[in-house]
Amino acid sequence: MYGHCLRYAGNVEEAQDVLQDGFIKVFEKISSLKDANALEGWMSRIFINLALSYYRKKKSGPDWVEMEPLQEVLSEENDIPNNDLDPKLVLKQIQSLPEKYRLVLNAYAIDGLSHKEIADLLETTESNTKSILSRARKMMRDWLNEKDNKK
Amino acid sequence: MEKNRPNIDQLIQSSFDAFEPQLPIGIWNNIEDKLNQNDASKRKKVLTWSSVAAVVFIGLSGMFYSNIPDNATVDHKTGIKISNTELKSGSFENKLSQSLPIGNGNSDLDLNDVDLNNSLDNKDVKTTGKKLVVENNRNITEIASINKNSVVPNLFDINQEPILTQENYENMNEANFDFLNSKKLGLINTKILQLPASSQIPQRPTKQKRSIWAFEVGYDQNQTAINYAVNTQLSKYVHKNFVNRIKEGEFALAAPQLHAALRYQFNPNWSVAIGLGFSQTRISQSFNFQDSTPVSMAQGNEADINGNYPIFGYVGLGMPVAYNGNQSISMVSIPLSVGYQRPINRSWAFSSEISMRFNKLLTTTGKTLDYHDLSLMDVPNYRSQIWSAKLSIGAEKRVSLRDIWGVRLNTQGALTPFNSVNSPVSNRGWSIGMSVFYRYSIW
């Protein structure tokens, strides 16, 4: 769960705050868990929701202005280098993304939430999350390409 | 999870598959502390809301209970309430038998035998043995309020003297209320007056009633003095030194006085009284005198055979005379008085009185010189009646609704001389002293 927090948070301190609040929420709600086998998924969802809410409620949080979609992103999908990635480097790159890019990329690309769920949690539109996701992917792809070129 | 995700998503996702970051040190302690804080906060909230709920519940219960109609039955002889439970169980008979009237008349009950819980308000009174105790700061209105179940107590002060009875209560005036308010009502007699259950408690009279009549007795202890006066028409016969010498030799004795009076109170301040008194004035004189020939000194003696009134010569060749004269005068008096009282507080009042007294001289004894042979002779020329006046100022204290004690300084004097008109030298007594009196109000 700490990994979830690190991905969504911009730094370690914020990650610890989210982790702490997340576990408290888990202990408070543990009685509502009906299937013990679903504990991990249930906890993950709590931490994800909490992380998204955390940044949504932050006064200095992201400004969810509608963004134009990037049409050229999908055509470059096959150009991604297929190398083994060091998770610490990926984490560092994700944390360096602008906040709204980081949140949407984590929620959609890694944790598998739908655009509708993300839009609801972040109180914005699906088209906006899609546009943000495209830009986030492009930034990550650029980073991977740049990393590959250096090799 | 949406299908057909781009490769970039899978690549990033797979990079975290084996990612297990190390937890920061102390994170569990922080979580535990925060959980404890939350628990405490929760408990506090629960306690607060529980308290609020309890208060609301008690309040609503009280309102509900107070609105329950009182189905208790009241016994008409004793005024004691009998609950429905007691009525059904039959225990009311025992209760009533314990409360049957005893003592003086049918209306008196022993407090021990009366169920105070039913007769009186528990909030206002409490029993200690056979005593019914009322808070000291209670005023008469509050005392009346304890009688709301048709039971009026006879109130007695700490000396067991009656200060309030049913009869008195109905006739109390404003001053009595004020007095009662000031009393330390520590004890109330064990007897209470039982009224029929249907009786209404007498309310404080809206129209002020006064106790207008009072009986009064008093005692004065005074020191007398004598004012001597020379008859102007006979002054040529009186040696100029005689009056001076007789004054120097004067020795006045006490003049006790008793009186009883009936007083009528116009209002709380002014009153008039008429009474009957007895007093005795004793005067002693002792001096030496030597004057002319013929020596003659006697107060108010008639003219001698030569047509001369007793005179004192001017040459001083007469025989020396040692004069020891005593006079004793007893009188009955009818004093007419006007009194003025001004309350200082609820018990004490400034007290003053001025009175005019008609005095009938009963017995008069006195010795004087017979100028013929210089022997002592009885004074023959006292008047039979004189007028006197008295002024007194002091304080009086109300010790109960009816009883007042007072003490005053007084001065009084004879307005008319003791001796007859033809006396060449006559005297008027005056005195100063202290009075005590007792007044009993007649309701």
Side-chain angles (χ1 to χ4, degrees), chain B residues 135-191:
Chain B
E135 299 296 331
N136 285 346
N137 60 357
R138 187 171 309 288
N139 60 36
I140 183 60
T141 308
E142 290 168 331
I143 289 171
S145 73
I146 70 174
N147 309 322
K148 59 187 178 185
N149 287 327
S150 303
V151 179
V152 177
N154 282 327
L155 302 186
F156 285 70
D157 66 13
I158 200 157
N159 297 317
Q160 297 297 302
E161 294 296 323
I163 58 174
L164 177 63
T165 63
Q166 170 71 18
E167 181 187 1
N168 295 345
Y169 184 82
E170 292 172 340
N171 294 290
M172 264 195 292
N173 64 16
E174 196 74 28
N176 299 140
F177 272 107
D178 289 341
F179 164 73
L180 200 60
N181 288 342
S182 71
K183 290 290 291 183
K184 302 292 184 188
L185 294 179
L187 298 174
I188 296 179
N189 193 25
T190 56
K191 290 181 178 178

Side-chain angles (χ1 to χ4, degrees), chain B residues 173-300:
Chain B
N173 64 16
E174 196 74 28
N176 299 140
F177 272 107
D178 289 341
F179 164 73
L180 200 60
N181 288 342
S182 71
K183 290 290 291 183
K184 302 292 184 188
L185 294 179
L187 298 174
I188 296 179
N189 193 25
T190 56
K191 290 181 178 178
I192 61 174
L193 177 64
Q194 191 67 54
L195 299 178
S198 57
S199 295
Q200 295 296 316
I201 296 306
Q203 298 298 311
R204 181 176 178 146
T206 53
K207 217 171 185 179
Q208 181 175 332
K209 290 182 178 180
R210 297 189 308 272
S211 53
I212 55 177
W213 290 100
F215 176 73
E216 184 177 300
V217 291
Y219 175 78
D220 297 353
Q221 182 62 56
N222 283 26
Q223 192 72 27
T224 58
I226 298 294
N227 279 332
Y228 290 93
V230 178
N231 189 324
T232 52
Q233 293 180 346
L234 303 176
S235 62
K236 63 183 179 181
Y237 302 109
V238 180
H239 191 281
K240 62 180 180 180
N241 290 327
F242 173 73
V243 175
N244 293 333
R245 296 304 304 275
I246 201 171
K247 284 180 178 176
E248 290 172 3
E250 175 191 326
F251 179 72
L253 296 179
Q257 183 181 106
L258 285 165
H259 80 269
L262 188 63
R263 182 170 296 277
Y264 179 83
Q265 196 82 29
F266 283 108
N267 57 44
N269 297 121
W270 292 98
S271 62
V272 295
I274 185 169
L276 187 65
F278 174 81
S279 62
Q280 188 180 60
T281 298
R282 288 183 293 166
I283 305 165
S284 176
Q285 293 162 304
S286 178
F287 61 91
N288 296 322
F289 187 81
Q290 181 178 9
D291 212 308
S292 62
T293 303
V295 174
S296 175
M297 69 174 282
Q299 296 174 51

